[in-house]
Amino acid sequence: MFSNLRRAVRRSYRRAVDLSHPARSPLGSAVVNCIVYQDGVRQDGCAEVEEALRRVRKSGEGFVWIGLHEPTQEELAGLAELFGLHPLAVEDAVHAHQRPKVERYDDILFAVFKTVRYVEHEELTATSEVVETGELMAFTGDDFVITIRHGGRGTLGPVRESLEAAPEQLTKGPASVLHAIADHVVDDYVAVTDAVQNDIDAVETAVFSENGGRGDAGRIYQLKRELLELRRAGAPLARPLEQLATQPIGAVPVEVRAYFRDVADHLTRATDQINGYDALLDSILQAHLAQVTVAQNEDMRKITAWAAIVAVPTMVCGVYGMNFDHMPELHWTYGYPAVLGVMVLACFLIHRGFRRNGWL
């Protein structure tokens, strides 16, 4: 009940998606948008990249923000030449599946982020996808920001909307956009980590319930795999964020470094939670395996007890099934019922003894 309520609350507070920019422009280019910001205000009438850059550099103030979606090598080559992007960074930007990192090429920063999203599901199974990941990259220079998105997730519409609602942040230059992107990505880490706790609570309740299922091991392993995916997305960012917050970098003004320190603190919180959940899942798995072992021992004791009970009449019947003329009470009228009575009495006494010892 409470788990469903928390899921409903998460849906109601989910960030609005900026639908004003399609995944691909009508011309088929990878450029989703190209916007000029001056004095923290969005400028109109700059749809072409060359025109936007010429306008910014002619005025000597502001910057241009270019958004790309899964560009090809040819589509990114023109921008790389125009903005002076390093070939190695361009190669990484075209070919996704990069490790989260922040690299410096002269006065240009190249950042790679792993975006995450919690996959809603009614019931956790051994094959449920809990964490979905994407990839987001950003080139940051003195007067430009180029963001590259891979996959259908990780839209920057909410980031752009929040920045445009706070012009004083945009006046700090392209570094403010890099901070907003990092903050958005890390906030998703925190939100997904909090959401995974519901699944861990559900598994923990199932394991320690009276009717704990023996199939819970698959769900526990699946959660550990999803936590590993989440850790791979967030853990490598710790050192780059610390460098952005503490080291003098030309592309990051001094007044922006404190903001990166705050993002690093949030990332540390998410990483600590992930490590704690992983340790908790280890304990739950050990407890589950111990319960399975105890249940198997119980089953073996019951099987052994019933085998001992059945062994008595089997032995008596085996003795009297031998072909001998001289057997005890063989020609006695009440010999047959007496033997049956002895077998029933012996089975009853053995059964009673096992019941007292907790075997049955």
Side-chain angles (χ1 to χ4, degrees):
M1 175 181 177
F2 292 105
S3 177
N4 294 334
L5 179 60
R6 284 194 291 264
R7 288 193 179 100
V9 171
R10 286 201 305 273
R11 292 191 187 103
S12 64
Y13 282 95
R14 189 173 294 165
R15 292 187 179 93
V17 177
D18 182 11
L19 299 178
S20 61
H21 308 298
R24 291 269 176 170
S25 68
L27 300 178
S29 170
V31 179
V32 176
N33 46 44
C34 176
I35 302 172
V36 172
Y37 292 94
Q38 291 181 339
D39 296 326
V41 179
R42 177 174 178 166
Q43 306 296 309
D44 297 326
C46 295
E48 297 295 331
V49 175
E50 294 83 354
E51 178 188 352
L53 184 60
R54 188 183 308 113
R55 177 174 175 177
V56 168
R57 292 183 173 175
K58 182 178 180 180
S59 63
E61 58 184 30
F63 64 93
V64 57
W65 184 351
I66 302 170
L68 307 177
H69 180 261
E70 296 183 353
T72 62
Q73 186 75 38
E74 294 75 16
E75 290 172 328
L76 195 56
L79 291 176
E81 182 178 359
L82 182 63
F83 290 96
L85 306 181
H86 197 279
L88 292 178
V90 173
E91 182 180 358
D92 289 344
V94 172
H95 305 287
H97 309 295
Q98 301 295 322
R99 188 175 186 267
K101 60 183 178 180
V102 175
E103 295 180 341
R104 181 179 178 181
Y105 297 94
D106 295 331
D107 295 331
I108 298 176
L109 290 180
F110 174 62
V112 178
F113 302 97
K114 286 285 188 180
T115 59
V116 297
R117 185 182 74 90
Y118 180 77
V119 180
E120 298 285 351
H121 48 271
E122 294 299 329
E123 183 180 0
L124 179 68
T125 65
T127 58
S128 294
E129 183 183 13
V130 179
V131 179
E132 182 181 358
T133 60
E135 201 155 347
L136 184 62
M137 306 172 183
F139 290 94
T140 307
D142 294 332
D143 53 8
F144 68 90
V145 177
I146 302 175
T147 55
I148 302 172
R149 182 164 55 92
H150 289 272
R153 301 292 176 181
T155 176
L156 292 177
V159 177
R160 189 184 297 275
E161 292 172 0
S162 63
L163 282 173
E164 292 178 355
E168 65 279 2
Q169 287 295 110
L170 286 172
T171 57
K172 294 180 175 63
S176 63
V177 178
L178 181 61
H179 159 260
I181 294 173
D183 186 55
H184 173 75
V185 171
V186 173
D187 282 347
D188 284 342
Y189 293 161
V190 176
V192 172
T193 303
D194 291 339
V196 171
Q197 183 178 2
N198 296 328
D199 296 311
I200 296 177
D201 291 342
V203 170
E204 185 178 19
T205 302
V207 168
F208 290 101
S209 63
E210 293 183 0
N211 299 322
R214 297 189 180 182
D216 289 328
R219 299 198 297 167
I220 298 174
Y221 274 116
Q222 181 64 16
L223 275 179
K224 286 182 66 66
R225 289 176 61 88
E226 297 299 310
L227 282 178
L228 178 61
E229 187 75 16
L230 193 55
R231 184 189 292 111
R232 286 175 177 172
L237 279 179
R239 182 171 178 80
L241 288 177
E242 181 183 356
Q243 292 175 344
L244 291 174
T246 58
Q247 297 183 5
I249 299 176
V252 182
V254 177
E255 60 269 20
V256 182
R257 294 178 192 169
Y259 293 96
F260 281 107
R261 189 177 302 113
D262 180 69
V263 177
D265 291 340
H266 291 175
L267 179 63
T268 301
R269 175 203 161 187
T271 304
D272 290 343
Q273 277 188 291
I274 293 171
N275 293 333
Y277 291 160
D278 188 64
L280 178 59
L281 284 175
D282 285 336
S283 300
I284 294 174
L285 181 60
Q286 293 298 324
H288 172 70
L289 295 178
Q291 287 182 332
V292 171
T293 302
V294 170
Q296 290 176 343
N297 290 337
E298 290 286 343
D299 294 341
M300 289 302 299
R301 287 200 302 179
K302 291 180 180 180
I303 294 172
T304 303
W306 283 111
I309 294 173
V310 173
V312 173
T314 302
M315 179 187 65
V316 175
C317 293
V319 170
Y320 275 88
M322 299 167 65
N323 296 323
F324 288 98
D325 291 331
H326 302 286
M327 295 286 290
E329 311 300 340
L330 185 61
H331 300 287
W332 183 36
T333 304
Y334 302 102
Y336 181 70
V339 171
L340 291 180
V342 170
M343 287 191 296
V344 171
L345 178 61
C347 292
F348 171 76
L349 294 176
I350 296 175
H351 183 273
R352 185 179 179 182
F354 283 135
R355 290 277 293 191
R356 284 183 175 180
N357 293 328
W359 284 46
L360 290 175

